[in-house]
């Protein structure tokens, strides 16, 4: 069922003729003169502007060279600008003072000066509401009568004094916003053409880099200008009340889209509120997340084996920082670099056994931040910082800055995705994802884990398009991706495949991975082996990604920001072990902490 909403358009100047696309109620084009202003108008505000009206052409190449005007309550526009903009060829008959308009696909139209005859011919009983006239050598005709005779529809916004002209038979057009997987991006021409031909839809896609995707999403929501289909890179970034107000409840539609319904039935990434589905996950590989990768060429040069425990890793970092692994004769490398998205949280993961702060143990929420294992992880980092093994700027370093140091060969260890590690592997540098990492020899191995999936798609509650059209487009893309059929498309290119990953996800990070396929065969085999070992580890149903809904309220922001600050202080030696333990104990006793844990327990209860 098509949803129709009225969206106001803003006129930035009195000379504006066309406006941005808007959707209005189905009311005939007719405007009454407004009453006089309650206060005397300035001299420049004459009758022309007091009765100004506006027109917007939705996805139609019409550009009026003069504003529309009201004549007898009927909106009149320039005939030539309107008809030629619609693709008509015009013939002027000077004797009859008439215009004949012909079009390959639209009805033949005629307009005669001072005549109320229908533009569709004398045999049509309907008359024009106002006769065409000529002024300054230009014929003016009634907008609604002309547009509807050409097969178009016209809607009128009384409050905005705006007419919207659209083509009901036009190919559906809607906007999609998604996050690109890599900063460099090429236009996927084959993919877009294929989707348009198969689904008879015209889609405008905004490709947003990852570093400021969340910020862009929030700005669009605040401005009331969300794309019709928007990817939330964190499905839980908005609280329930806001989520329900800005996106549609999709529950009533999904039975017609089996691929989307299957995705929505999986827990990771689906946004469910009171049993209703508001966002559908993008396809993902659960292990496609950042994880420690190491300079394998440095290990080989220094005669070291790939470390498997945190103690072994520490010793390797020490050698990387002190023993000139790049062979330039200088002590100018770090054992470890982290910053921004390339954080050091994997160290906490190694000791706590959880990729997230909160996990589910024995049916209850466990906060690893207050556990002895968390303290052990911070002690490991504090020792590495004191020994000069970690870049000292880690606390203020951005993700881009960290990556630049890796590209410059200044560090031998960092948290990277599989594609990032493969992309850093060049002739003189070989990066290898650690296949096994444990806190100690007797600990269970950990593995990368995308706790929130790869984001989830939601349809804006302000969309003017039929949700069924949008969901059909998404269903087709998801199905093709899951069944790995895109490569069968003629002219398929790496740029198209990268776009598929951005739009519909990557269900298996070992397949259709351009960066991985570029690696020398022996190196690629080590990557594949690492992924296969990761897949023996699962955190399914052990995590609570919905916890971000609690953070979105901002109620516990100060407490949790203080927690992160204390972590940094402890790592950099500004906080003693006793002070850290005292802080943790006090936080756990606070009323705010107890309320937070109560809310998290309620989220867990709602899930079951």
């Amino acid at each position: 069922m098509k949803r129709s909403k009225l969206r106001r358009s803003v006129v930035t100047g009195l000379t504006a003729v066309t406006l941005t696309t808007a959707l209005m109620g189905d009311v005939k084009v007719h405007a009454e003169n407004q009453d006089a202003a309650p206060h005397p108008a300035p001299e420049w505000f004459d009758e022309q502007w007091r009765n100004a009206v506006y027109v917007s052409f939705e996805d139609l190449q019409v550009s009026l060279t003069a504003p529309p005007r009201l004549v007898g309550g009927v909106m009149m526009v320039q005939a030539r600008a309107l008809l030629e903009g619609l693709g008509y060829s015009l013939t002027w008959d000077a004797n009859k003072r008439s215009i004949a308009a012909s079009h390959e696909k639209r009805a033949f139209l005629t307009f005669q000066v001072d005549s109320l005859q229908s533009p569709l011919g004398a045999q049509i009983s309907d008359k024009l509401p106002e006769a065409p006239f000529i002024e300054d050598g230009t014929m003016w005709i009634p907008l609604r009568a002309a547009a509807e005779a050409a097969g178009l529809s016209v809607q009128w916004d009384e409050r905005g004094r705006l007419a919207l002209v659209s083509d009901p038979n036009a190919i559906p057009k809607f906007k999609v916003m998604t996050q690109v997987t890599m900063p460099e991006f090429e236009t996927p021409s084959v993919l877009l053409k294929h989707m348009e031909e198969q689904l008879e839809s015209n889609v405008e896609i905004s490709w947003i880099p990852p570093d400021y995707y969340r910020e862009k999403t929030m700005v669009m929501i605040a401005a009331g200008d969300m794309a019709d289909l928007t990817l939330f890179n964190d499905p839980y970034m908005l609280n329930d009340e806001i989520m329900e107000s800005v996106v549609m409840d999709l529950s009533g539609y999904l039975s017609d889209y089996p691929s989307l319904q299957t995705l929505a039935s999986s827990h990771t990434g689906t946004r469910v509120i009171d049993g209703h589905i508001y966002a559908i996950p993008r396809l993902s590989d659960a292990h496609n997340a950042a994880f420690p990768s190491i300079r394998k060429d440095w290990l080989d040069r220094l005669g070291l084996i790939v470390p498997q425990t945190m103690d072994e890793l520490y010793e390797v970092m020490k050698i990387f920082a002190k023993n000139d692994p790049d062979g330039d004769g200088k002590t100018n490398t770090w054992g470890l670099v982290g910053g921004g998205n390339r954080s050091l949280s994997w160290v906490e993961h190694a000791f706590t056994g959880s990729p997230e702060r909160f996990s589910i143990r024995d049916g209850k929420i466990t906060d690893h931040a207050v556990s002895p294992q968390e303290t052990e992880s911070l002690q490991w980092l504090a020792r590495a910082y004191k020994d000069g093994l970690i870049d000292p700027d880690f606390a203020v370093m951005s993700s881009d800055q960290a990556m630049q140091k890796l590209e410059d060969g200044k560090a031998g260890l960092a948290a990277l995705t599989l594609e990032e590690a493969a992309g850093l592997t060049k002739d003189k540098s070989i990066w290898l994802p650690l296949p096994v990492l444990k806190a100690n020899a007797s600990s269970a191995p950990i593995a990368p884990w995308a706790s929130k999936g790869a984001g989830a798609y939601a349809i804006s509650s302000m969309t003017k398009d039929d949700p069924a059209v949008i969901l059909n487009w998404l269903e087709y893309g998801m199905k093709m991706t899951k069944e790995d059929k895109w490569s069968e498309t003629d002219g398929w290119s790496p740029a198209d495949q990268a776009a598929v990953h951005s739009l519909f996800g990557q269900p298996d990070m070992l397949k259709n991975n351009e960066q991985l396929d570029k690696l020398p065969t022996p190196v690629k085999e080590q990557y594949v082996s690492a992924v296969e070992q990761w897949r023996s580890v699962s955190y399914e149903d052990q995590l609570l990604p919905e916890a971000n809904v609690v953070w979105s309220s901002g109620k516990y922001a100060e407490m949790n920001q203080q927690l992160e600050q204390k972590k940094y202080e402890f790592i950099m030696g500004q906080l003693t072990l006793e002070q850290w333990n005292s802080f943790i104990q006090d936080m756990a006793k606070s009323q705010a902490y107890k309320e937070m844990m109560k809310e998290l327990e309620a989220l867990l209860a709602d899930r079951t």
Side-chain angles (χ1 to χ4, degrees), residues 198-322:
Q198 292 294 317
L199 301 171
E200 296 185 346
S201 58
N202 186 5
V203 181
E204 180 183 329
I205 302 175
S206 296
W207 312 91
I208 310 299
D211 286 347
Y212 60 92
Y213 188 86
R214 181 187 179 94
E215 178 184 355
K216 176 72 172 179
T217 305
M218 297 301 286
V219 168
M220 299 294 280
I221 292 173
D225 194 29
M226 281 179 64
D228 302 294
L229 182 65
T230 295
L231 179 79
F232 286 77
N233 62 348
D234 179 353
Y236 309 101
M237 62 189 289
L238 302 177
N239 64 38
D240 291 352
E241 183 178 0
I242 295 176
M243 193 74 176
E244 287 176 305
S245 68
V246 300
V247 304
M248 289 179 55
D249 177 0
L250 301 176
S251 304
Y253 294 93
L254 294 183
S255 60
D256 294 329
Y257 307 97
S259 293
L260 299 184
Q261 190 169 45
T262 298
L263 271 175
S265 65
S266 64
H267 175 71
T268 303
T270 301
R271 184 62 189 274
V272 180
I273 303 174
D274 295 331
H276 296 265
I277 296 171
Y278 285 84
I280 302 168
R282 185 167 58 167
L283 291 166
S284 65
D285 186 324
H287 291 92
N288 195 0
F291 198 67
S293 291
I294 199 164
R295 283 288 296 266
K296 180 65 165 58
D297 55 309
W298 285 9
L299 291 175
D300 294 342
R301 182 179 295 127
L302 297 169
L304 304 172
I305 62 172
V306 177
Q308 295 189 8
T309 68
M310 293 301 287
D311 285 342
E312 292 174 357
L313 189 60
Y314 191 93
E315 294 305 314
V316 167
M317 287 167 50
K318 186 186 296 185
I319 295 173
F320 280 178
K322 310 296 184 183

Side-chain angles (χ1 to χ4, degrees), residues 28 388 584:
K28 290 185 178 181
I584 287 297

Side-chain angles (χ1 to χ4, degrees), residues 374-429:
E374 174 72 16
T375 300
E376 190 178 358
S377 72
L378 297 180
Q379 288 177 305
W380 189 93
L381 286 167
R383 183 161 60 103
Y385 182 83
K386 182 179 179 181
D387 290 347
L389 311 186
I390 304 176
D391 189 311
D393 294 330
F394 79 94
V396 295
M397 191 182 302
S398 71
S399 180
D400 285 343
Q401 290 171 329
M403 180 60 82
Q404 188 60 56
K405 293 203 173 189
L406 300 179
E407 291 175 347
D408 293 342
K410 296 302 180 183
L413 183 71
L416 301 168
T417 65
L418 196 78
E419 286 193 345
E420 288 172 339
L424 286 171
T425 297
K426 312 291 184 183
D427 292 339
K428 296 183 179 180
S429 61

Side-chain angles (χ1 to χ4, degrees), residues 75-96:
M75 186 183 290
M76 306 291 285
V77 296
Q78 299 164 307
R80 182 171 296 277
L82 172 66
L83 297 173
E84 288 187 343
L86 295 176
Y88 277 93
S89 297
L90 305 185
T91 301
W92 168 251
D93 187 328
N95 293 326
K96 295 182 178 180

Side-chain angles (χ1 to χ4, degrees), residues 187-204:
T187 302
S189 54
V190 175
L191 170 66
L192 297 181
K193 182 179 179 181
H194 175 89
M195 294 288 282
E196 182 175 346
E197 291 176 347
Q198 292 294 317
L199 301 171
E200 296 185 346
S201 58
N202 186 5
V203 181
E204 180 183 329

Side-chain angles (χ1 to χ4, degrees), residues 19 165 190 226 260 283 302 349 352 364 392 398 438 457 484:
L19 306 175
V165 182
V190 175
M226 281 179 64
L260 299 184
L283 291 166
L302 297 169
H349 180 186
T352 65
K364 295 183 178 180
S398 71
K438 302 186 289 185
Y457 278 112
D484 195 19

Side-chain angles (χ1 to χ4, degrees), residues 150-182:
L152 306 177
S153 65
V154 182
Q155 295 175 318
W156 172 249
D157 174 15
E158 178 67 36
R159 187 176 180 185
R161 300 177 66 77
L162 170 71
L164 172 68
V165 182
S166 60
D167 187 349
N169 298 315
I171 293 176
K173 181 177 182 179
F174 56 91
K175 295 181 179 180
V176 175
M177 189 173 88
T178 192
Q179 177 179 296
V180 296
T181 54
M182 299 293 284

Side-chain angles (χ1 to χ4, degrees), residues 44-98:
W44 56 265
F45 194 83
D46 59 19
E47 192 70 19
Q48 178 183 0
W49 302 124
R50 187 175 290 117
N51 297 315
V53 289
Y54 310 94
V55 61
S56 174
F57 297 93
E58 183 180 56
D59 300 327
L60 296 168
Q61 302 303 311
V62 178
S63 180
L64 302 182
T65 56
R69 64 178 65 176
L70 288 180
V71 177
V74 177
M75 186 183 290
M76 306 291 285
V77 296
Q78 299 164 307
R80 182 171 296 277
L82 172 66
L83 297 173
E84 288 187 343
L86 295 176
Y88 277 93
S89 297
L90 305 185
T91 301
W92 168 251
D93 187 328
N95 293 326
K96 295 182 178 180
R97 302 184 74 202
S98 65

